[in-house]
Protein backbone atom coordinates (compact mmCIF):
# COMPACT_ATOMS: atom_id res chain seq x y z
CA UNK A 1 0.00 0.00 0.00
CA UNK A 2 1.23 3.51 -0.71
CA UNK A 3 0.24 6.71 1.04
CA UNK A 4 0.85 9.75 -1.16
CA UNK A 5 1.58 12.73 1.07
CA UNK A 6 -0.07 16.11 0.73
CA UNK A 7 2.25 18.69 -0.85
CA UNK A 8 4.25 20.73 1.70
CA UNK A 9 3.34 18.50 4.58
CA UNK A 10 5.47 19.45 7.60
CA UNK A 11 8.38 17.38 8.83
CA UNK A 12 6.60 16.97 12.13
CA UNK A 13 3.39 15.68 10.51
CA UNK A 14 5.49 13.24 8.48
CA UNK A 15 7.27 11.97 11.58
CA UNK A 16 3.93 11.54 13.35
CA UNK A 17 2.55 9.60 10.41
CA UNK A 18 5.60 7.32 10.31
CA UNK A 19 5.30 6.65 14.05
CA UNK A 20 1.57 5.95 13.63
CA UNK A 21 2.26 3.36 10.92
CA UNK A 22 5.12 1.74 12.81
CA UNK A 23 3.00 1.48 15.95
CA UNK A 24 0.74 -0.84 13.94
CA UNK A 25 3.63 -3.24 13.33
CA UNK A 26 4.16 -2.10 9.73
CA UNK A 27 7.34 -0.87 8.03
CA UNK A 28 7.67 2.39 6.14
CA UNK A 29 9.64 3.25 3.03
CA UNK A 30 9.83 7.00 2.33
CA UNK A 31 10.34 7.90 -1.30
CA UNK A 32 9.48 10.41 -3.98
CA UNK A 33 8.77 10.00 -7.67
CA UNK A 34 6.96 11.91 -10.38
CA UNK A 35 6.87 15.03 -8.20
CA UNK A 36 5.06 13.17 -5.41
CA UNK A 37 6.32 12.28 -1.98
CA UNK A 38 5.00 9.01 -0.70
CA UNK A 39 5.27 6.41 1.99
CA UNK A 40 5.32 2.73 1.12
CA UNK A 41 3.46 0.96 3.93
CA UNK A 42 5.01 -2.50 4.06
CA UNK A 43 3.72 -5.51 5.91
CA UNK A 44 1.60 -8.59 5.60
CA UNK A 45 -1.74 -7.04 6.48
CA UNK A 46 -1.69 -3.39 5.49
CA UNK A 47 -5.35 -3.27 4.59
CA UNK A 48 -6.48 -3.39 8.22
CA UNK A 49 -5.47 0.25 8.71
CA UNK A 50 -6.33 1.48 5.18
CA UNK A 51 -9.44 3.44 6.12
CA UNK A 52 -7.74 5.22 9.02
CA UNK A 53 -4.67 5.96 6.93
CA UNK A 54 -6.74 7.39 4.08
CA UNK A 55 -8.33 9.79 6.56
CA UNK A 56 -4.99 10.88 8.07
CA UNK A 57 -4.46 14.66 7.69
CA UNK A 58 -1.02 14.24 6.06
CA UNK A 59 -2.26 11.79 3.45
CA UNK A 60 -3.50 13.04 0.07
CA UNK A 61 -4.31 9.69 -1.48
CA UNK A 62 -4.03 6.01 -0.68
CA UNK A 63 -3.13 3.57 -3.43
CA UNK A 64 -3.81 0.05 -2.39
CA UNK A 65 -3.63 -1.97 -5.60
CA UNK A 66 -3.60 -5.60 -4.65
CA UNK A 67 -0.01 -6.44 -5.49
CA UNK A 68 2.15 -7.96 -2.79
CA UNK A 69 5.38 -6.45 -4.18
CA UNK A 70 4.89 -2.82 -3.21
CA UNK A 71 8.34 -1.40 -3.94
CA UNK A 72 8.82 -3.24 -7.23
CA UNK A 73 5.39 -2.30 -8.50
CA UNK A 74 4.63 0.26 -11.18
CA UNK A 75 1.51 1.13 -9.28
CA UNK A 76 3.83 2.73 -6.75
CA UNK A 77 6.50 4.18 -8.98
CA UNK A 78 4.94 5.15 -12.24
CA UNK A 79 7.96 6.24 -14.22
CA UNK A 80 10.49 3.62 -15.26
CA UNK A 81 13.55 3.36 -13.03
CA UNK A 82 16.99 3.77 -14.53
CA UNK A 83 19.68 1.64 -12.88
CA UNK A 84 23.21 2.92 -13.37
CA UNK A 85 26.11 0.48 -13.25
CA UNK A 86 29.75 1.56 -13.08
CA UNK A 87 30.68 5.24 -12.96
CA UNK A 88 33.37 6.53 -10.56
CA UNK A 89 36.30 6.13 -12.96
CA UNK A 90 34.53 3.54 -15.09
CA UNK A 91 32.04 4.28 -17.81
CA UNK A 92 28.52 4.56 -16.42
CA UNK A 93 26.02 2.23 -18.06
CA UNK A 94 22.33 3.06 -17.67
CA UNK A 95 19.69 0.31 -17.82
CA UNK A 96 16.09 1.35 -18.43
CA UNK A 97 16.88 4.52 -20.37
CA UNK A 98 17.03 4.99 -24.15
CA UNK A 99 20.11 2.78 -24.56
CA UNK A 100 19.87 -0.97 -25.14
CA UNK A 101 22.69 -2.39 -23.03
CA UNK A 102 24.52 -5.52 -24.17
CA UNK A 103 26.50 -7.48 -21.55
CA UNK A 104 28.66 -10.19 -23.05
CA UNK A 105 31.38 -12.60 -22.08
CA UNK A 106 32.07 -16.19 -21.19
CA UNK A 107 29.83 -18.34 -19.05
CA UNK A 108 32.82 -18.82 -16.74
CA UNK A 109 36.17 -17.09 -16.37
CA UNK A 110 38.62 -19.85 -17.29
CA UNK A 111 41.99 -18.14 -17.69
CA UNK A 112 43.63 -14.74 -18.02
CA UNK A 113 44.09 -15.23 -21.74
CA UNK A 114 40.47 -16.28 -22.28
CA UNK A 115 38.89 -13.41 -20.36
CA UNK A 116 41.19 -10.66 -21.68
CA UNK A 117 40.70 -11.82 -25.29
CA UNK A 118 36.93 -11.89 -24.77
CA UNK A 119 36.87 -8.45 -23.15
CA UNK A 120 38.77 -7.00 -26.10
CA UNK A 121 36.51 -8.67 -28.67
CA UNK A 122 33.18 -7.82 -27.05
CA UNK A 123 34.24 -4.22 -26.35
CA UNK A 124 35.29 -3.81 -30.00
CA UNK A 125 31.92 -5.18 -31.12
CA UNK A 126 30.00 -2.69 -28.96
CA UNK A 127 29.18 -4.52 -25.72
CA UNK A 128 28.90 -2.14 -22.76
CA UNK A 129 29.64 -4.67 -19.99
CA UNK A 130 31.66 -7.84 -19.54
CA UNK A 131 30.07 -10.92 -17.97
CA UNK A 132 31.81 -14.00 -16.57
CA UNK A 133 31.20 -16.41 -13.73
CA UNK A 134 33.80 -16.95 -11.01
CA UNK A 135 31.52 -18.88 -8.67
CA UNK A 136 29.51 -21.24 -10.88
CA UNK A 137 26.34 -22.97 -9.70
CA UNK A 138 26.71 -26.29 -11.56
CA UNK A 139 24.13 -29.06 -11.73
CA UNK A 140 26.85 -31.67 -11.14
CA UNK A 141 29.35 -31.39 -8.28
CA UNK A 142 31.98 -32.82 -10.68
CA UNK A 143 31.64 -30.00 -13.22
CA UNK A 144 34.01 -26.98 -13.29
CA UNK A 145 32.98 -24.78 -10.37
CA UNK A 146 34.77 -21.58 -11.41
CA UNK A 147 38.05 -19.94 -10.40
CA UNK A 148 36.61 -18.20 -7.33
CA UNK A 149 38.46 -15.11 -6.14
CA UNK A 150 41.09 -15.39 -8.86
CA UNK A 151 38.26 -15.39 -11.41
CA UNK A 152 36.81 -12.23 -9.89
CA UNK A 153 40.17 -10.48 -10.12
CA UNK A 154 40.72 -11.54 -13.73
CA UNK A 155 37.21 -10.53 -14.76
CA UNK A 156 37.45 -7.07 -13.20
CA UNK A 157 40.95 -6.49 -14.61
CA UNK A 158 39.90 -7.56 -18.13
CA UNK A 159 36.65 -5.59 -18.16
CA UNK A 160 38.10 -2.44 -16.68
CA UNK A 161 41.10 -2.54 -19.03
CA UNK A 162 38.59 -2.19 -21.87
CA UNK A 163 36.30 0.33 -20.15
CA UNK A 164 33.63 -2.26 -19.39
CA UNK A 165 31.97 -2.59 -15.97
CA UNK A 166 31.63 -6.27 -15.01
CA UNK A 167 28.79 -8.53 -13.89
CA UNK A 168 29.32 -11.82 -12.09
CA UNK A 169 27.27 -14.20 -10.01
CA UNK A 170 27.30 -14.46 -6.24
CA UNK A 171 26.01 -17.78 -4.92
CA UNK A 172 26.28 -17.49 -1.14
CA UNK A 173 25.59 -14.78 1.45
CA UNK A 174 29.09 -15.16 2.92
CA UNK A 175 30.64 -14.34 -0.49
CA UNK A 176 28.69 -11.13 -1.06
CA UNK A 177 31.30 -8.76 0.39
CA UNK A 178 34.09 -10.38 -1.62
CA UNK A 179 32.16 -10.39 -4.90
CA UNK A 180 30.95 -6.82 -4.34
CA UNK A 181 34.59 -5.65 -4.05
CA UNK A 182 35.25 -6.78 -7.64
CA UNK A 183 31.89 -6.71 -9.44
CA UNK A 184 30.06 -3.63 -10.66
CA UNK A 185 26.78 -5.56 -10.91
CA UNK A 186 25.93 -8.55 -8.69
CA UNK A 187 24.17 -11.40 -10.47
CA UNK A 188 21.71 -13.61 -8.62
CA UNK A 189 21.35 -16.77 -10.66
CA UNK A 190 18.19 -18.63 -11.55
CA UNK A 191 18.90 -21.34 -8.99
CA UNK A 192 19.17 -18.76 -6.23
CA UNK A 193 16.23 -16.52 -7.12
CA UNK A 194 14.49 -17.60 -3.94
CA UNK A 195 17.56 -17.81 -1.71
CA UNK A 196 16.10 -15.20 0.60
CA UNK A 197 19.18 -14.80 2.81
CA UNK A 198 21.22 -14.12 -0.31
CA UNK A 199 18.66 -11.60 -1.58
CA UNK A 200 18.79 -9.77 1.75
CA UNK A 201 22.58 -9.83 1.69
CA UNK A 202 22.81 -8.20 -1.76
CA UNK A 203 20.05 -5.85 -0.69
CA UNK A 204 22.37 -4.59 2.03
CA UNK A 205 25.16 -3.67 -0.43
CA UNK A 206 25.59 -0.52 -2.51
CA UNK A 207 26.06 -2.49 -5.74
CA UNK A 208 23.24 -2.90 -8.26
CA UNK A 209 21.73 -6.38 -8.66
CA UNK A 210 20.88 -8.42 -11.76
CA UNK A 211 18.14 -10.80 -10.66
CA UNK A 212 17.55 -13.80 -12.92
CA UNK A 213 14.19 -15.53 -13.06
CA UNK A 214 14.11 -18.97 -11.46
CA UNK A 215 13.68 -22.04 -13.65
CA UNK A 216 10.07 -22.51 -12.59
CA UNK A 217 9.32 -19.08 -11.12
CA UNK A 218 6.13 -17.18 -11.80
CA UNK A 219 6.43 -13.48 -12.54
CA UNK A 220 4.93 -12.71 -9.15
CA UNK A 221 7.63 -14.82 -7.49
CA UNK A 222 10.31 -12.98 -9.48
CA UNK A 223 8.89 -9.62 -8.43
CA UNK A 224 8.67 -10.73 -4.80
CA UNK A 225 12.32 -11.80 -5.00
CA UNK A 226 13.12 -8.28 -6.29
CA UNK A 227 11.06 -6.93 -3.39
CA UNK A 228 13.43 -8.65 -0.94
CA UNK A 229 16.36 -6.69 -2.39
CA UNK A 230 14.42 -3.40 -2.51
CA UNK A 231 13.03 -3.82 1.01
CA UNK A 232 16.56 -4.44 2.29
CA UNK A 233 17.44 -0.94 1.09
CA UNK A 234 18.95 -1.47 -2.36
CA UNK A 235 16.89 0.35 -5.02
CA UNK A 236 18.98 -0.84 -7.98
CA UNK A 237 17.53 -4.07 -9.32
CA UNK A 238 17.50 -5.23 -12.96
CA UNK A 239 15.21 -8.16 -13.79
CA UNK A 240 16.38 -10.86 -16.22
CA UNK A 241 14.19 -13.23 -18.22
CA UNK A 242 16.44 -16.25 -18.86
CA UNK A 243 13.98 -18.91 -19.90
CA UNK A 244 11.88 -21.33 -17.92
CA UNK A 245 11.54 -25.09 -17.97
CA UNK A 246 8.79 -26.38 -20.23
CA UNK A 247 8.01 -29.60 -22.11
CA UNK A 248 9.98 -28.44 -25.16
CA UNK A 249 13.00 -30.71 -25.54
CA UNK A 250 14.68 -29.02 -28.48
CA UNK A 251 15.79 -26.07 -26.39
CA UNK A 252 17.40 -26.00 -22.94
CA UNK A 253 14.76 -23.58 -21.66
CA UNK A 254 11.86 -21.67 -23.17
CA UNK A 255 12.59 -17.95 -23.33
CA UNK A 256 9.32 -16.44 -22.10
CA UNK A 257 9.04 -13.42 -24.36
CA UNK A 258 5.65 -12.38 -22.99
CA UNK A 259 7.27 -12.01 -19.57
CA UNK A 260 9.23 -9.01 -20.86
CA UNK A 261 6.31 -6.64 -21.59
CA UNK A 262 4.39 -8.08 -18.62
CA UNK A 263 7.24 -7.30 -16.23
CA UNK A 264 7.59 -3.82 -17.73
CA UNK A 265 3.87 -3.26 -17.24
CA UNK A 266 3.81 -4.48 -13.64
CA UNK A 267 7.13 -3.06 -12.50
CA UNK A 268 9.21 0.08 -12.97
CA UNK A 269 12.44 -1.94 -12.88
CA UNK A 270 14.56 -2.43 -16.03
CA UNK A 271 14.21 -5.83 -17.72
CA UNK A 272 16.90 -7.62 -19.72
CA UNK A 273 16.87 -10.97 -21.49
CA UNK A 274 19.38 -13.82 -21.66
CA UNK A 275 18.86 -15.66 -24.96
CA UNK A 276 21.92 -17.87 -24.27
CA UNK A 277 20.47 -19.71 -21.27
CA UNK A 278 17.00 -19.02 -22.66
CA UNK A 279 17.63 -21.38 -25.57
CA UNK A 280 20.86 -23.29 -24.90
CA UNK A 281 21.40 -23.36 -28.65
CA UNK A 282 23.93 -21.07 -30.36
CA UNK A 283 21.96 -20.70 -33.59
CA UNK A 284 18.91 -19.54 -31.66
CA UNK A 285 20.70 -16.80 -29.74
CA UNK A 286 20.61 -14.09 -32.47
CA UNK A 287 16.92 -14.49 -33.40
CA UNK A 288 15.83 -14.61 -29.74
CA UNK A 289 18.07 -11.65 -28.88
CA UNK A 290 16.24 -9.63 -31.52
CA UNK A 291 12.83 -10.91 -30.42
CA UNK A 292 13.56 -9.95 -26.81
CA UNK A 293 14.51 -6.40 -27.78
CA UNK A 294 11.42 -6.14 -29.98
CA UNK A 295 9.36 -7.27 -26.96
CA UNK A 296 10.73 -4.35 -24.95
CA UNK A 297 13.83 -5.63 -23.19
CA UNK A 298 16.24 -2.92 -22.02
CA UNK A 299 19.28 -5.05 -22.73
CA UNK A 300 20.79 -8.47 -23.28
CA UNK A 301 23.11 -10.89 -21.50
CA UNK A 302 24.98 -13.00 -24.04
CA UNK A 303 27.58 -15.72 -23.64
CA UNK A 304 30.65 -15.30 -25.85
CA UNK A 305 33.74 -17.52 -25.82
CA UNK A 306 36.96 -17.46 -27.89
CA UNK A 307 36.54 -21.18 -28.59
CA UNK A 308 33.04 -22.42 -27.75
CA UNK A 309 33.97 -26.01 -28.65
CA UNK A 310 36.48 -26.15 -25.79
CA UNK A 311 34.58 -24.01 -23.24
CA UNK A 312 34.47 -25.47 -19.72
CA UNK A 313 30.78 -24.56 -19.44
CA UNK A 314 27.92 -23.67 -21.77
CA UNK A 315 29.93 -23.96 -25.00
CA UNK A 316 26.92 -25.11 -27.08
CA UNK A 317 25.10 -21.84 -26.40
CA UNK A 318 28.13 -19.52 -26.64
CA UNK A 319 28.80 -17.31 -29.66
CA UNK A 320 32.34 -16.98 -30.94
CA UNK A 321 33.82 -13.53 -31.55
CA UNK A 322 32.73 -13.23 -35.16
CA UNK A 323 29.24 -14.52 -34.34
CA UNK A 324 28.91 -11.91 -31.63
CA UNK A 325 30.21 -9.10 -33.85
CA UNK A 326 27.73 -10.12 -36.57
CA UNK A 327 24.87 -10.06 -34.07
CA UNK A 328 25.87 -6.61 -32.83
CA UNK A 329 25.88 -5.30 -36.42
CA UNK A 330 22.36 -6.65 -36.89
CA UNK A 331 21.12 -5.11 -33.65
CA UNK A 332 22.03 -1.56 -34.74
CA UNK A 333 19.20 -1.06 -37.24
CA UNK A 334 16.79 -2.86 -34.89
CA UNK A 335 17.65 -0.46 -32.08
CA UNK A 336 16.96 2.50 -34.40
CA UNK A 337 13.64 1.00 -35.50
CA UNK A 338 12.70 0.65 -31.82
CA UNK A 339 13.62 4.29 -31.17
CA UNK A 340 16.56 3.30 -28.96
CA UNK A 341 20.32 3.48 -29.15
CA UNK A 342 22.83 0.66 -28.91
C1 LIG B 1 24.92 -17.77 -16.02
O1 LIG B 1 24.57 -16.62 -16.29
O2 LIG B 1 26.00 -18.26 -16.40
C2 LIG B 1 23.98 -18.64 -15.28
C3 LIG B 1 24.42 -19.66 -14.53
O3 LIG B 1 22.71 -18.30 -15.47
P1 LIG B 1 21.34 -18.89 -14.84
O4 LIG B 1 21.44 -18.62 -13.37
O5 LIG B 1 20.28 -18.08 -15.53
O6 LIG B 1 21.28 -20.34 -15.18
MN1 LIG C 1 26.24 -20.10 -18.46
Amino acid sequence: MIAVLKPAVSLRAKAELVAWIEARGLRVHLDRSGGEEWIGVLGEDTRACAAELAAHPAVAELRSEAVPYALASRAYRRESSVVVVGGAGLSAVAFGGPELVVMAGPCAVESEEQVFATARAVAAAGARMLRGGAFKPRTSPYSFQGLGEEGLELLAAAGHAHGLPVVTEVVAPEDVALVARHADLLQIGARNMQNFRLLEAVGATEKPVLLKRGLVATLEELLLAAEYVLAAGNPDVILCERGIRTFVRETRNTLDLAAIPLLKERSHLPVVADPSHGTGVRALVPPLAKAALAAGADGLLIEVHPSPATALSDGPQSLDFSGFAALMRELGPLASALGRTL
Side-chain angles (χ1 to χ4, degrees):
M1 203 161 61
I2 184 170
V4 181
L5 301 182
K6 285 185 180 155
V9 69
S10 74
L11 212 52
R12 185 199 184 100
K14 238 185 285 182
E16 278 169 9
L17 178 57
V18 167
W20 186 90
I21 296 166
E22 286 178 341
R24 277 149 189 81
L26 299 168
R27 287 172 56 190
V28 301
H29 175 93
L30 277 156
D31 209 340
R32 53 173 74 240
S33 70
E36 287 175 339
E37 195 173 7
W38 51 269
I39 296 183
V41 183
L42 310 176
E44 204 152 18
D45 186 19
T46 54
R47 289 174 172 269
C49 67
E52 265 183 288
L53 198 54
H56 193 282
V59 173
E61 186 195 339
L62 200 65
R63 292 183 197 143
S64 54
E65 287 89 347
V67 287
Y69 41 87
L71 302 177
S73 166
R74 198 178 279 279
Y76 293 170
R77 180 179 277 278
R78 295 194 173 167
E79 78 267 33
S80 296
S81 287
V82 174
V83 173
V84 177
V85 177
L90 280 174
S91 61
V93 178
F95 290 80
E99 188 185 355
L100 298 172
V101 178
V102 178
M103 300 170 274
C107 178
V109 177
E110 298 171 4
S111 68
E112 179 171 348
E113 194 186 0
Q114 174 239 23
V115 73
F116 272 81
T118 309
R120 186 181 334 106
V122 300
R128 297 281 275 129
M129 286 186 58
L130 179 68
R131 66 148 286 148
F135 293 96
K136 293 304 300 175
R138 302 305 302 279
T139 300
S140 164
Y142 308 120
S143 300
F144 175 59
Q145 302 286 313
L147 296 181
E149 187 166 359
E150 187 196 349
L152 295 175
E153 287 166 2
L154 290 173
L155 179 75
H160 297 172
H162 292 279
L164 307 176
V166 301
V167 55
T168 195
E169 179 166 352
V170 55
V171 295
E174 60 270 24
D175 294 341
V176 169
L178 169 68
V179 178
R181 275 204 296 281
H182 298 282
D184 304 298
L185 175 61
L186 299 170
Q187 177 172 327
I188 299 295
R191 288 153 197 82
N192 273 312
M193 189 204 83
Q194 285 189 316
N195 182 337
F196 301 117
R197 296 276 312 283
L198 182 59
L199 295 173
E200 284 168 352
V202 296
T205 71
E206 310 261 289
K207 289 286 165 81
V209 174
L210 178 69
L211 178 62
K212 299 189 87 174
R213 183 180 182 183
L215 279 77
V216 293
T218 66
L219 298 184
E220 181 166 300
E221 287 164 343
L222 172 59
L223 290 167
L224 281 167
E227 189 79 7
Y228 266 88
V229 181
L230 300 171
N234 188 339
D236 295 321
V237 178
I238 301 161
L239 304 170
C240 181
E241 165 55 41
R242 51 77 71 204
I244 48 173
R245 184 156 290 182
T246 70
F247 55 84
V248 178
R249 305 291 299 274
E250 289 75 8
T251 50
R252 181 178 177 184
N253 292 292
T254 296
L255 191 69
D256 181 7
L257 290 172
I260 297 165
L262 270 167
L263 288 168
K264 302 244 8 143
E265 179 195 284
R266 308 240 159 127
S267 176
H268 55 86
L269 298 171
V271 178
V272 300
D274 172 353
S276 305
H277 294 87
T279 62
V281 180
R282 181 177 311 119
L284 299 181
V285 171
L288 271 292
K290 293 172 205 163
L293 295 181
D298 296 301
L300 297 167
L301 182 65
I302 295 180
E303 287 187 338
V304 177
H305 194 283
S307 165
T310 58
L312 296 181
S313 60
D314 287 350
Q317 67 194 32
S318 299
L319 300 182
D320 62 14
F321 295 166
S322 67
F324 179 68
L327 171 60
M328 290 299 287
R329 284 193 296 274
E330 290 172 11
L331 294 184
L334 176 61
S336 313
L338 293 167
R340 305 190 71 164
T341 59
L342 186 69

